[in-house]
Amino acid sequence: MKWVVAAAMFSCLMMLAGCSGSVNTVIKPDTDLKKYKTAYVDMLTQDEFNLGAAIMAHMTGMGFMVKQTPLPKDVSETDLLVKYDYYDGWDMRKYMKNFSINIFDEKSNTLLLNSRYDLTGIWRGEEFRINYTFNDIRIKAGYPPLQDFE
């Protein structure tokens, strides 16, 4: 019984402490995302955490015209395709454990950017995780960092 109480207290402390995670963003050498104009986001049919909507908002904030797939029949040299995926977990509630974002040059089907967030604790909210990842993407892609982000 003492072990159960200790585990519950540890979980509560972790909630208050705010665990974090790590992000790894890799951009293909000599890639200039600023030359692209439109980003087509391939929305998941089930997206419990509204990650697709958050990606669309961040891509808009980076200056892209953002649309959902399907792609037009004649893709332009300034079109990007954005795909994402996530893995969820459960610990007293469902949470987004990790996610990845892949950005492709749609004309050549070349992967330009891959960013992956891995959670090492669950008590930072999804909004923080997504902002943390896009802050890393923005900095590595030559965009200004997010304003008012810790």
Side-chain angles (χ1 to χ4, degrees), residues 66-83:
V66 180
K67 300 178 180 182
Q68 292 183 23
T69 55
L71 297 162
K73 291 183 193 280
D74 296 321
V75 294
S76 165
E77 291 182 3
T78 61
D79 288 346
L80 294 172
L81 174 63
V82 181
K83 293 186 174 195

Side-chain angles (χ1 to χ4, degrees), residues 4-57:
V4 173
V5 171
M9 289 176 62
F10 178 75
S11 290
C12 289
L13 286 173
M14 293 304 288
M15 283 174 44
L16 296 173
C19 297
S20 62
S22 64
V23 66
N24 183 30
T25 301
V26 178
I27 299 177
K28 183 179 176 284
D30 301 323
T31 295
D32 181 11
L33 289 181
K34 294 176 184 173
K35 77 175 192 172
Y36 295 91
K37 305 293 181 224
T38 307
Y40 291 88
V41 179
D42 191 16
M43 303 293 277
L44 296 174
T45 51
Q46 273 196 304
D47 187 354
E48 295 177 75
F49 304 102
N50 294 316
L51 183 55
I55 290 169
M56 291 179 78

Side-chain angles (χ1 to χ4, degrees), residues 53-63 127 130-131 134 138 146:
I55 290 169
M56 291 179 78
H58 278 285
M59 297 296 289
T60 299
M62 292 169 69
E127 182 180 0
I130 295 165
N131 288 342
F134 264 94
R138 291 174 73 97
L146 291 171

Side-chain angles (χ1 to χ4, degrees), residues 117-131:
Y117 181 91
D118 289 304
L119 184 64
T120 55
I122 68 167
W123 302 112
R124 281 286 189 149
E126 279 85 19
E127 182 180 0
F128 173 86
R129 298 174 207 164
I130 295 165
N131 288 342

Side-chain angles (χ1 to χ4, degrees), residues 64-112:
F64 295 99
M65 177 183 292
V66 180
K67 300 178 180 182
Q68 292 183 23
T69 55
L71 297 162
K73 291 183 193 280
D74 296 321
V75 294
S76 165
E77 291 182 3
T78 61
D79 288 346
L80 294 172
L81 174 63
V82 181
K83 293 186 174 195
Y84 65 98
D85 203 358
Y86 67 86
Y87 176 75
D88 58 21
W90 192 89
D91 184 7
M92 310 239 281
R93 68 174 178 88
K94 200 168 206 178
Y95 65 95
M96 186 166 46
K97 188 170 185 175
N98 61 47
F99 61 91
S100 64
I101 300 167
N102 294 301
I103 300 177
F104 298 87
D105 176 305
E106 185 48 37
K107 189 82 168 174
S108 66
N109 198 30
T110 303
L111 179 63
L112 302 176

